[in-house]
Amino acid sequence: MLTDLFSPSVQHLLDLAGIFVFAMSGALLAVRKNFDVFGMAVLAEVTALGGGVLRDLIIGAVPPAAFTDLGYFLTPLAAALIVVFLHPEVERITKAVGVFDAAGLGLFCVSGTVKAYGHGLGLTFAATLGMATAVGGGVLRDILAHEVPSLLRWDRDLYAVPAMVGAALAAVLLRFDALDGPTAAIPVVVAFVLRLLAMKYHWRAPRAWHRRSAAREAP
């Protein structure tokens, strides 16, 4: 379990940090979509907590952690409040927010894998659910904002793949009983670095071979 890898206080702080940056990305999209304050708060909450809630419901960890820890609920609201008043400044540091988002991606894909495995899932399914933990909130965010999920768009830098790699590495370490506090940093860092490289060099997944469709993605 996670408490075997990190102390509860450290794990809680890491979770809150990841939740905060995911919530900020949701609130920023709400601003771009001209949502009101309530819409911003909803999008922040869904982006930050959606993946974790999905994971907990699937593995039967109910009620989900998002509904038992007040900090998990209030942190996205704090991020939304910051964006309400400071969104021009936040927009100017979008790259910095992207770096923190990549860090949250790395953390959540590993923590999700470990929690799913601790609740009895096999390694393959634990890794799949770990990836879903990291990207699920973003998918729900885009659906609520009437966007094609970034996860499915060919013209977006790789996002799910780094999470998939990090979750798979965590599963391999679990398989050989080698996952502890120090080694857990390996898949986190790998997913983080892959996401940063994808952002820097605009790495994208290939499309269908000999694709004939002339359809183009909306901006």
Side-chain angles (χ1 to χ4, degrees):
M1 296 296 290
L2 292 176
T3 52
D4 297 325
L5 303 178
F6 305 105
S7 70
S9 59
V10 170
Q11 180 61 42
H12 193 251
L13 287 175
L14 291 174
D15 283 347
L16 292 180
I19 286 170
F20 182 83
V21 293
F22 281 159
M24 191 163 287
S25 71
L28 284 172
L29 179 59
V31 170
R32 297 186 194 113
K33 287 289 186 175
N34 202 30
F35 287 8
D36 61 17
V37 173
F38 181 76
M40 292 173 64
V42 169
L43 223 55
E45 292 280 357
V46 167
T47 307
L49 304 176
V53 170
L54 174 66
R55 174 202 63 211
D56 288 351
L57 290 176
I58 290 175
I59 64 179
V62 292
F67 294 95
T68 60
D69 189 313
L70 190 59
Y72 286 2
F73 178 76
L74 294 179
T75 298
L77 295 182
L81 192 63
I82 290 172
V83 174
V84 166
F85 293 105
L86 300 174
H87 67 86
E89 288 73 16
V90 174
E91 286 280 12
R92 281 197 287 269
I93 60 169
T94 298
K95 288 186 178 180
V97 173
V99 171
F100 287 111
D101 181 84
L105 182 80
L107 172 68
F108 280 15
C109 72
V110 174
S111 65
T113 300
V114 174
K115 185 169 185 179
Y117 181 73
H119 278 75
L121 266 66
L123 290 171
T124 299
F125 297 111
T128 301
L129 204 50
M131 182 190 71
T133 303
V135 305
V139 172
L140 294 174
R141 172 201 65 204
D142 292 342
I143 291 173
L144 287 176
H146 296 284
E147 293 265 326
V148 176
S150 298
L151 189 70
L152 305 179
R153 292 184 60 165
W154 67 268
D155 58 343
R156 292 291 187 268
D157 302 333
L158 292 179
Y159 195 80
V161 171
M164 187 186 307
V165 171
L169 283 175
V172 169
L173 290 171
L174 284 168
R175 169 65 178 82
F176 293 101
D177 198 25
L179 191 67
D180 53 25
T183 60
I186 296 173
V188 171
V189 171
V190 168
F192 173 65
V193 171
L194 280 177
R195 173 57 180 161
L196 290 184
L197 290 173
M199 292 166 59
K200 179 177 177 60
Y201 296 107
H202 303 296
W203 291 346
R204 292 166 184 172
R207 289 185 282 173
W209 192 253
H210 297 308
R211 186 180 65 92
R212 294 182 178 181
S213 173
R216 298 179 63 185
E217 290 286 353

